[in-house]
Amino acid sequence: MIKLHDKNFKPFVSAKEIDAALQRMVDEIAKDVGDEIPVFVGVLNGSFMVVSDFVKKYPNPCEVTFIKLASYEGVKSSEDIQRLIGLTQDLTGRTVIILEDIIDTGKTLFEIHRIFKNEKVKALKIATLFYKPEAYKKDFKLHYIGIEIPNKFIVGYGLDYDGLGRDLPEVYQIKQTQHMTNLVLFGPPGAGKGTQAEFLKEKYNLVHISTGDVFRYNMKNDTALGMLAKSFIEKGQLVPDQVTIDMLNAEVEKNADAKGFIFDGFPRTNAQAEALDKLMDSKDSQINAMIALEVDDEVLVKRLLERGKTSGRKDDADETVIRNRIKVYYDETAILKDYYAAQNKYFGVDGIGGIEEITERLSAVINKL
């Protein structure tokens, strides 16, 4: 994490990934241009690092120049008339390749096309290291694209935030803290976790994501992830954590405007907890707390046996099975308790009493987050 002026930025694209993207662009352009000597044109200020590294990799003779777009003095409208600074040579009949660091809305590209149409070039092609498809508003063809990225502000490798960050060899993405409440809700079988999740999601306007429900939905509807999960299950193998994370990511994306999430049934291991942290970090958010409902074992056994008489679930009718399920829960929770306690995010809540009483205890924890 770095801080430039008043903003925080997180690592986004490594120097190694940038280098690989540039090499792909070089290979594509060299193949297309062949023996012709192209003129590579960098657009200042941001493209100086892209151009420098690009031409070092280019295997054939080429010419290089830089231009800068500037508004004519006195023009103040949002559609300023632009002029080119730095274009001096005759480009008649030449293949010109614009080397951009980033293309987002395409406004600069519009001006470049407008100005270059009078230069009588043989061909004008556009190459950009970074491209934001969500932001692009023009119809001009982009001939060479290094890396497609989401529509978020980035710095580094020639790109700046208010003058800072151009010198960084890698690229960072702005970290915008989301005001969300994200909970991992745990509780042994029979603790009333499902009931409390329903109350909490209504009270705090949260989205309840049950791993079991998500799996069933994806497999029932034969989504790509559901079919992938089935392929492992049918072989008697555990579904990889990444498949589960991808399913959860899809659920989070469906509810991008949510005020927060209650994760139920995930994570169950340290590796899963770390993966969930990374997922939330990618959304500029975080897990605020793991809340575990604590209920005496004998109370749990009694509750589940009573539930088994009406639910029809075999695992609620056999005391041996019930006690084993409770043991598995504690074995899993003990690991995660340490993980979240190390971050001061673990909260145990008494799960014995009336439903409203327990909800109030849970709310007391959430209200302090």
Side-chain angles (χ1 to χ4, degrees):
M1 191 80 68
I2 61 170
K3 186 170 185 177
L4 302 176
H5 295 301
D6 59 333
K7 303 294 184 185
N8 291 313
F9 295 83
K10 59 184 179 180
F12 181 49
V13 182
S14 68
K16 184 177 180 180
E17 290 172 312
I18 292 172
D19 187 73
L22 283 175
Q23 188 62 60
R24 287 195 303 272
M25 293 170 65
V26 165
D27 293 342
E28 290 177 23
I29 293 173
K31 181 180 178 181
D32 289 349
V33 173
D35 295 332
E36 187 177 354
I37 298 177
V39 180
F40 292 117
V41 179
V43 183
L44 295 175
N45 290 332
S47 71
F48 69 97
M49 291 182 77
V50 172
V51 175
S52 175
D53 287 346
F54 182 95
V55 296
K56 289 175 189 174
K57 294 177 179 293
Y58 196 73
N60 303 320
C62 63
E63 294 181 20
V64 183
T65 189
F66 286 91
I67 60 172
K68 187 177 178 69
L69 287 172
S71 298
Y72 283 105
E73 291 183 10
V75 179
K76 297 182 180 179
S77 72
S78 59
E79 298 297 327
D80 288 354
I81 298 174
Q82 304 282 308
R83 61 190 173 95
L84 282 180
I85 299 175
L87 188 61
T88 57
Q89 70 261 54
D90 182 6
L91 297 176
T92 301
R94 304 295 300 278
T95 292
V96 174
I97 300 175
I98 304 294
L99 292 179
E100 274 277 35
D101 51 344
I102 187 168
I103 290 178
D104 40 35
T105 64
K107 183 178 178 182
T108 299
L109 194 57
F110 173 82
E111 301 298 345
I112 288 172
H113 272 273
R114 183 175 63 80
I115 294 168
F116 266 88
K117 71 180 181 182
N118 297 319
E119 294 298 322
K120 299 178 182 179
V121 300
K122 175 183 176 182
L124 179 66
K125 296 189 176 184
I126 307 299
T128 181
L129 177 58
F130 295 109
Y131 168 53
K132 296 181 178 179
E134 297 171 9
Y136 191 55
K137 305 299 182 184
K138 305 298 181 183
D139 294 323
F140 301 111
K141 181 178 180 180
L142 306 182
H143 300 82
Y144 309 100
I145 295 172
I147 304 173
E148 290 191 6
I149 62 173
N151 189 21
K152 290 190 177 182
F153 190 76
I154 59 174
V155 297
Y157 201 72
L159 295 156
D160 76 306
Y161 168 53
D162 197 17
L164 297 181
R166 293 191 191 276
D167 57 313
L168 298 169
E170 55 280 306
V171 168
Y172 291 77
Q173 185 182 83
I174 193 166
K175 185 174 178 62
Q176 298 171 314
T177 303
Q178 300 283 348
H179 298 293
M180 301 172 71
T181 300
N182 301 305
L183 310 172
V184 172
L185 186 60
F186 256 66
K193 178 164 56 78
T195 300
Q196 291 302 325
E198 289 300 310
F199 279 104
L200 294 177
K201 80 174 188 179
E202 293 298 327
K203 182 172 183 176
Y204 294 98
N205 197 20
L206 306 177
V207 174
H208 179 206
I209 298 180
S210 165
T211 309
D213 290 345
V214 171
F215 261 86
R216 284 187 286 274
Y217 170 83
N218 279 273
M219 290 192 287
K220 179 181 178 181
N221 291 279
D222 287 329
T223 67
L225 289 170
M227 294 173 70
L228 182 58
K230 278 183 186 177
S231 69
F232 287 99
I233 293 171
E234 288 170 354
K235 296 174 186 175
Q237 300 173 351
L238 292 174
V239 177
D241 287 349
Q242 190 57 51
V243 176
T244 306
I245 280 290
D246 289 343
M247 287 185 184
L248 295 180
N249 181 55
E251 291 300 309
V252 172
E253 287 293 321
K254 285 180 191 175
N255 299 279
D257 296 329
K259 292 186 177 181
F261 298 89
I262 299 173
F263 292 96
D264 176 359
F266 191 93
R268 292 189 179 279
T269 66
N270 269 14
Q272 291 178 353
E274 290 171 0
L276 182 58
D277 280 346
K278 288 180 181 178
L279 169 62
M280 299 314 295
D281 185 64
S282 73
K283 312 298 180 186
D284 291 331
S285 191
Q286 64 177 344
I287 296 298
N288 299 95
M290 173 189 178
I291 304 178
L293 287 169
E294 299 173 342
V295 183
D296 183 78
D297 290 2
E298 297 309 313
V299 174
L300 294 172
V301 172
K302 182 178 179 180
R303 283 183 185 177
L304 290 171
L305 287 172
E306 285 296 320
R307 190 172 77 179
K309 294 176 182 178
T310 56
S311 70
R313 287 180 52 172
K314 293 181 180 179
D315 57 349
D316 281 349
D318 187 318
E319 183 172 336
T320 302
V321 173
I322 290 172
R323 292 189 182 277
N324 184 63
R325 286 166 60 199
I326 295 171
K327 180 180 181 302
V328 170
Y329 165 79
Y330 286 125
D331 289 344
E332 292 175 343
T333 309
I335 298 171
L336 289 169
K337 180 177 181 179
D338 292 341
Y339 179 86
Y340 286 107
Q343 303 176 47
N344 296 317
K345 292 181 179 181
Y346 176 85
F347 300 90
V349 173
D350 184 2
I352 297 178
I355 292 175
E356 292 184 3
E357 184 182 358
I358 297 170
T359 303
E360 286 303 312
R361 292 176 195 152
L362 291 168
S363 298
V365 171
I366 296 170
N367 292 340
K368 293 178 181 178
L369 295 177

